[in-house]
């Protein structure tokens, strides 16, 4: 049983929940402070955490299930759980259903708008896995999907959406889009041969890296705009500067003719970035409250 659990955790890359979870918490923190001048309650933190675990688990399981045949052909992904025979399709479907159930349960214990908007989140989670079959804008779809985390965190505590939450949503969407373009570069040859769509296949690796940089510049601009739309101040500015430096460093690690440092650029830097931005936002607002 424990071996099976490990396989499921490996399949959904549970550790990569750290990518979006800090931004979901940041959305809740900003929403509660901007709209109600309060901190989220402990139950709100807990339900948001469960919602994120459910959404992330369902999304990854669906992606692995839908892409199983493609993963089996790709040397980089052939050892994933389903192609390797470690998990059956029925087991993954059941796991996905339970994960969506967890998401609904968590949303039902938050604000009503979180429940009303959940079908959109479910649609995006399902739709993304098919997009690389017909559009090179698949990275943008993923960005919009992942960015539902901070927007969901905001809605979970405010029960509304405003321009500040939309700007935060778009900043995170561009962040995700940018690093997914970089990540897709390593599958350039395979995707091209299989007729799959991606920005690297459409524009080539060198141009794609520049496109990714463009998305990340928009991300930095979005983070700066939040400074003028909220009561954030110096601590947040420091966090934004560090995050921007991390983005610059990430792009220094990958070159058109050398993608060997992809894991550091994709996993390490982006995981650290989301934690940094949330942590400095939290410190800033705690100082503000004091």
């Amino acid at each position: 049983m424990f071996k099976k659990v490990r396989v499921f955790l490996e399949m959904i890359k549970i550790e990569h929940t750290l990518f979006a979870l800090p931004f979901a918490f940041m959305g809740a923190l900003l929403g509660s402070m901007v709209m109600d001048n309060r901190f989220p309650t402990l139950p709100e933190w807990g339900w948001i955490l469960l919602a994120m675990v459910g959404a992330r688990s369902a999304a990854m399981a669906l992606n692995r299930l839908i892409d199983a045949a493609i993963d089996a052909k790709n040397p980089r992904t052939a050892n994933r759980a389903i192609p390797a025979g470690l998990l059956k399709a029925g087991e993954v479907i059941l796991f996905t259903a339970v994960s969506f159930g967890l998401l609904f349960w968590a949303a039902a214990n938050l604000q009503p708008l979180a429940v009303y908007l959940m079908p959109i989140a479910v649609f995006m989670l399902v739709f993304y896995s098919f997009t690389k079959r017909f559009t090179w804008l698949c990275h943008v779809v993923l960005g919009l999907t992942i960015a539902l985390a901070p927007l969901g965190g905001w809605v979970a505590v405010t029960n509304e959406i405003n321009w500040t939450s939309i700007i935060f949503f778009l900043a995170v969407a561009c962040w995700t889009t940018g690093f997914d373009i970089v990540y897709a570069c390593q599958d350039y040859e395979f995707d091209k041969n299989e007729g799959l769509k991606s920005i690297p296949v459409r524009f080539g690796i060198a141009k794609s890296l520049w496109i990714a940089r463009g998305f990340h510049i928009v991300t930095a601009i979005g983070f700066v705009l939040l400074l003028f739309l909220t009561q954030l101040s110096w601590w947040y500015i420091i966090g934004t500067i560090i995050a921007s430096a991390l983005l610059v460093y990430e792009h220094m690690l990958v070159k058109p003719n050398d993608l060997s440092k992809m894991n550091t650029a994709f996993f390490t830097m982006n995981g650290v970035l989301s934690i940094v931005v949330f942590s400095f936002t939290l410190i800033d607002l705690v100082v503000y409250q004091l």
Side-chain angles (χ1 to χ4, degrees), residues 189-245:
E189 292 293 343
F190 175 81
D191 289 347
K192 186 176 180 179
N193 293 334
E194 291 295 317
L196 298 173
K197 312 294 183 181
S198 72
I199 284 180
V201 169
R202 175 67 177 80
F203 297 100
I205 293 178
K207 289 182 179 179
S208 295
L209 293 178
W210 278 107
I211 293 171
R213 291 173 189 134
F215 275 106
H216 284 162
I217 289 173
V218 175
T219 295
I221 293 172
F223 287 158
V224 171
L225 286 177
L226 288 178
L227 178 66
F228 298 98
L229 295 170
T230 65
Q231 57 264 59
L232 293 168
S233 58
W234 288 106
W235 282 102
Y236 174 77
I237 292 174
I238 294 172
T240 300
I241 292 172
I242 294 173
S244 299

Side-chain angles (χ1 to χ4, degrees), residues 6-289:
R6 284 199 301 271
V7 173
F8 272 109
L9 293 178
E10 171 61 27
M11 177 187 70
I12 65 173
K13 299 293 183 183
I14 191 67
E15 67 274 15
H16 296 160
T17 302
L18 284 176
F19 279 13
L21 181 60
F23 282 133
F25 283 160
M26 182 173 164
L29 185 61
L30 285 178
S32 59
M33 289 295 296
V34 170
M35 305 304 296
D36 299 323
N37 197 33
R38 68 174 181 89
F39 285 109
T41 65
L42 187 58
E44 285 174 332
W45 289 119
W47 290 119
I48 291 170
L49 173 61
L50 288 179
M52 281 296 301
V53 171
R56 166 74 185 180
S57 300
M60 288 298 294
L62 270 174
N63 182 261
R64 296 295 188 254
L65 185 64
I66 293 169
D67 282 353
I70 295 174
D71 288 344
K73 297 178 183 180
N74 189 341
R76 185 179 66 82
T77 58
N79 63 344
R80 287 177 174 172
I82 300 177
L86 300 177
L87 291 175
K88 297 178 181 178
E91 293 175 319
V92 178
I93 292 172
L94 178 60
F95 178 84
T96 302
V98 171
S99 297
F100 275 132
L102 179 61
L103 172 60
F104 178 80
W105 181 42
N109 282 276
L110 292 164
Q111 296 289 343
L113 186 58
V115 178
Y116 300 149
L117 295 179
M118 203 185 79
I120 298 176
V122 172
F123 170 78
M124 293 294 288
L125 291 172
V126 175
F127 177 64
Y128 159 69
S129 293
F130 293 98
T131 52
K132 64 183 176 182
R133 292 162 172 80
F134 61 86
T135 177
W136 49 267
L137 292 173
C138 53
H139 317 284
V140 177
V141 177
L142 177 63
L144 295 173
T145 303
I146 297 297
L148 291 174
L151 187 62
W154 181 289
V155 168
V157 298
T158 66
N159 202 42
E160 63 179 87
I161 296 173
N162 63 12
W163 282 110
T164 302
S165 63
I166 291 174
I167 288 173
F168 188 27
F169 166 79
L170 293 175
V172 175
C174 288
W175 170 66
T176 306
T177 300
F179 74 64
D180 192 58
I181 292 171
V182 175
Y183 187 67
C185 288
Q186 63 186 327
D187 286 331
Y188 169 76
E189 292 293 343
F190 175 81
D191 289 347
K192 186 176 180 179
N193 293 334
E194 291 295 317
L196 298 173
K197 312 294 183 181
S198 72
I199 284 180
V201 169
R202 175 67 177 80
F203 297 100
I205 293 178
K207 289 182 179 179
S208 295
L209 293 178
W210 278 107
I211 293 171
R213 291 173 189 134
F215 275 106
H216 284 162
I217 289 173
V218 175
T219 295
I221 293 172
F223 287 158
V224 171
L225 286 177
L226 288 178
L227 178 66
F228 298 98
L229 295 170
T230 65
Q231 57 264 59
L232 293 168
S233 58
W234 288 106
W235 282 102
Y236 174 77
I237 292 174
I238 294 172
T240 300
I241 292 172
I242 294 173
S244 299
L246 288 172
L247 287 174
V248 171
Y249 181 61
E250 173 184 327
H251 286 283
M252 291 174 61
L253 291 175
V254 288
K255 299 176 177 60
N257 59 351
D258 183 11
L259 301 176
S260 60
K261 297 179 181 178
M262 178 66 68
N263 283 339
T264 301
F266 180 77
F267 298 116
T268 306
M269 290 299 100
N270 286 296
V272 170
L273 184 146
S274 60
I275 294 172
V276 165
V277 177
F278 168 68
S279 298
F280 278 86
T281 300
L282 178 61
I283 294 170
D284 194 301
L285 292 177
V286 168
V287 172
Y288 170 81
Q289 284 289 86

